[in-house]
Amino acid sequence: MDELTSLACEKIFFDEDTARGACAYSRAISVLNPIADAMHVVRGPLECATCATYAWNARGSISSQPMLHGKQDKIFFDNLGLSAQVMRELAAACKPQAIFVYSTCMTETMDYDISEVCESAAKDLRIPVISVGSMGFQAEMGYEAACNALSRLIGSRSYKPISPYSVNILGDYNIAGDLWPIRSYFEELGIEVVSTITGDSRVAEIQRAHCADLNLVQCSSSIGSLARRLEEKFGIPYRSVSFLGIEETSSALRTAAEFFENPGIIEESERMIARETKRIRRKIEHYRAKFAGHRAAICLNGASKAASLIRALNELGIEVVIVGIRDGNWVDRQRIRNYIGRDAVDADKLNPGDLGELLSKENVDLIIPGAEDQPAIRKLNIPICDICHNRTSIFEGFDGMVNFAREIDIAINNRIEMPPARKKKTRGRPPCMAQKRGLSRPAEK
């Protein structure tokens, strides 16, 4: 790695005030990493391991079966030693169903064609060995590279869905197990989930994704390109949905049911929505009473997730007064403006000092930041609800709303105030407020 690239990586990943995770490789591997039976080989220096931790150490994607990447570290090559023979040895040790080979920034400066190695290894191993070109610091290019890799898998395996009504769920990474309750809803409605891309997925399931009738897209910024390709190549329509909050989950189920135009499925979906809405609203009512008058700020990458969060927070009686987003199309940005009743404050263009003044001016009681913004925002000493990749609670679906309310309650009402910087640090960890009050945090399911 040359000196300029090394300094750029250092600036992005080690300077808390400017941390954005803006590396194409980190974004590409974050999309592909949850595939449970695939192996990841990285053509790049060990410095790239810094951004790789975004994908497998700090990201809570989990699987219903043992995950290959949970047992094997990613393997980095910073010389020309990556060959088909090396791939054969790795495959013999790990027995993957596919191998993704990533090219990072260093590869761009070398006259070395990694695709030839991949093609040779694929012929020998008789499994997909896919080159993922992920050079540079434009995060969106990493998402595009991941979609390229996935599109090369899809369509290579035949499958006839058991149900005449089938969907793929795209852009859900099964953080903390979010996908599992969603799958159960569709099973209850008689709709088969052919493939989940990429949370809790397997290579064979992704290869048959072209056999589904409809794609339901959650994270449009990371996977929207793939949905458009599947529509163009296989004629599979897609709908943007969210399962965060009661209203969004209900809307997503209605969207799927109405697409199939089956009266039985539509009727059953309405029964499910009515039943679950009544049950969950009863469970969150005491939280609504505690949150009355509270105000929140949202600072995220994606506009679609921000829009869903606004609705979910409003369902809990919390007003959203600041929204900062970096990515998102015009439709999602317009949804945000409609939900908050005025133009969103563009908090992303503010430095942490200015953001602190704005939060104080707006009397913000809670902030929901993106993963890259958390180090700087935590310095502001305002309660944070972490909805990102390292959480351990399911937030999607109907019961996820109860978990979301509980986590906000813990953040706001069971805070541990940080001591002033001028005070001398004491040994040991301070007891949490819940312990002082004789309470304990509810056990995670």
Side-chain angles (χ1 to χ4, degrees):
M1 177 179 279
D2 59 49
E3 185 177 355
L4 182 59
T5 305
S6 179
L7 289 173
C9 286
E10 226 177 276
K11 180 66 176 173
I12 288 176
F13 293 106
F14 296 105
D15 185 344
E16 288 186 342
D17 291 333
T18 59
R20 287 290 185 264
C23 166
Y25 160 61
S26 73
R27 289 298 191 255
I29 200 171
S30 72
V31 171
L32 300 174
N33 193 69
I35 303 173
D37 54 357
M39 184 173 72
H40 304 266
V41 177
V42 183
R43 167 66 180 161
L46 290 176
E47 286 86 347
C48 292
T50 304
C51 59
T53 58
Y54 172 84
W56 81 81
N57 281 345
R59 192 173 177 86
S61 298
I62 59 178
S63 172
S64 54
Q65 296 179 13
M67 298 183 75
L68 182 60
H69 82 252
K71 295 181 179 179
Q72 302 289 339
D73 289 335
K74 274 61 178 177
I75 301 165
F76 291 81
F77 291 87
D78 58 358
N79 53 49
L80 296 182
L82 180 56
S83 65
Q85 176 59 31
V86 172
M87 304 286 257
R88 286 193 290 270
E89 293 173 2
L90 292 173
C94 303
K95 296 180 172 55
Q97 296 302 304
I99 302 175
F100 295 102
V101 184
Y102 300 82
S103 301
T104 63
C105 296
M106 181 181 178
T107 315
E108 197 171 20
T109 64
M110 292 185 170
D111 183 18
Y112 185 73
D113 189 359
I114 227 169
S115 61
E116 292 184 2
V117 175
C118 294
E119 290 174 7
S120 175
K123 290 178 182 177
D124 291 344
L125 300 173
R126 296 183 179 180
I127 61 173
V129 181
I130 300 174
S131 174
V132 185
S134 49
M135 292 82 75
F137 297 109
Q138 290 183 305
E140 65 275 10
M141 297 307 294
Y143 289 143
E144 189 68 16
C147 290
N148 286 339
L150 289 167
S151 64
R152 292 176 62 184
L153 278 178
I154 295 172
S156 57
R157 183 179 292 263
S158 61
Y159 176 73
K160 182 174 177 56
I162 299 171
S163 170
Y165 312 104
S166 59
V167 299
N168 295 319
I169 300 177
L170 275 58
D172 193 308
Y173 303 105
N174 202 36
I175 305 301
D178 278 337
L179 262 172
W180 296 332
I182 306 306
R183 293 192 73 131
S184 69
Y185 300 152
F186 287 112
E187 289 171 2
E188 185 175 337
L189 295 177
I191 299 173
E192 181 179 353
V193 177
V194 173
S195 179
T196 56
I197 300 178
T198 56
D200 195 21
S201 62
R202 307 293 181 276
V203 171
E205 294 173 2
I206 294 174
Q207 290 174 318
R208 71 188 194 192
H210 64 293
C211 300
D213 300 313
L214 173 67
N215 285 325
L216 298 175
V217 180
Q218 281 233 76
C219 182
S220 56
S221 60
S222 66
I223 214 78
S225 172
L226 181 64
R228 291 188 290 272
R229 294 181 193 200
L230 293 180
E231 183 171 46
E232 293 171 3
K233 186 174 182 180
F234 300 106
I236 307 174
Y238 66 91
R239 302 288 186 270
S240 295
V241 299
S242 171
F243 295 97
L244 182 61
I246 298 173
E247 293 180 2
E248 293 282 84
T249 300
S250 300
S251 177
L253 293 174
R254 285 194 181 101
T255 296
E258 291 171 0
F259 171 81
F260 294 111
E261 300 180 340
N262 181 295
I265 291 179
I266 293 174
E267 184 178 346
E268 184 60 34
S269 68
E270 291 301 330
R271 277 199 295 265
M272 177 191 295
I273 291 168
R275 179 193 73 214
E276 294 300 304
T277 298
K278 181 179 179 180
R279 182 175 67 88
I280 298 304
R281 282 182 176 167
R282 187 166 57 245
K283 286 189 173 186
I284 65 174
E285 190 57 39
H286 71 286
Y287 288 116
R288 283 181 55 85
K290 295 173 76 172
F291 298 155
H294 283 66
R295 296 156 68 87
I298 297 172
C299 296
L300 296 173
N301 281 333
S304 60
K305 180 180 284 187
S308 299
L309 277 169
I310 293 170
R311 298 187 78 181
L313 289 168
N314 289 343
E315 288 177 311
L316 293 173
I318 299 174
E319 180 187 5
V320 177
V321 295
I322 298 173
V323 180
I325 53 174
R326 285 190 285 278
D327 303 323
N329 56 37
W330 181 88
V331 174
D332 289 328
R333 291 174 183 272
Q334 191 59 44
R335 286 176 63 206
I336 289 174
R337 295 187 180 96
N338 293 339
Y339 291 160
I340 64 175
R342 60 186 175 88
D343 288 343
V345 176
D346 191 356
D348 181 57
K349 294 182 179 178
L350 303 173
N351 62 46
D354 294 336
L355 178 59
E357 293 179 7
L358 180 60
L359 294 170
S360 176
K361 178 182 177 182
E362 294 288 344
N363 297 316
V364 169
D365 306 288
L366 174 76
I367 186 165
I368 300 182
E372 300 91 349
D373 299 298
Q374 286 190 21
I377 287 177
R378 287 186 185 278
K379 296 176 181 179
L380 303 176
N381 199 28
I382 293 175
I384 288 176
C385 180
D386 185 2
I387 56 100
C388 297
H389 313 303
N390 57 348
R391 59 181 166 85
T392 57
S393 293
I394 293 175
F395 282 174
E396 291 182 11
F398 293 107
D399 284 295
M401 188 64 169
V402 181
N403 296 334
F404 184 47
R406 185 193 64 223
E407 292 295 323
I408 291 176
D409 184 38
I410 291 171
I412 293 176
N413 298 314
N414 293 338
R415 298 181 61 202
I416 303 173
E417 296 292 344
M418 296 296 291
R422 64 178 180 275
K423 288 187 178 180
K424 186 177 179 181
K425 223 176 184 181
T426 58
R427 292 184 179 180
R429 295 179 63 186
C432 70
M433 296 302 293
Q435 291 172 335
K436 286 183 178 181
R437 298 171 184 169
L439 303 174
S440 61
R441 178 172 173 161
E444 302 291 352
K445 293 183 179 179

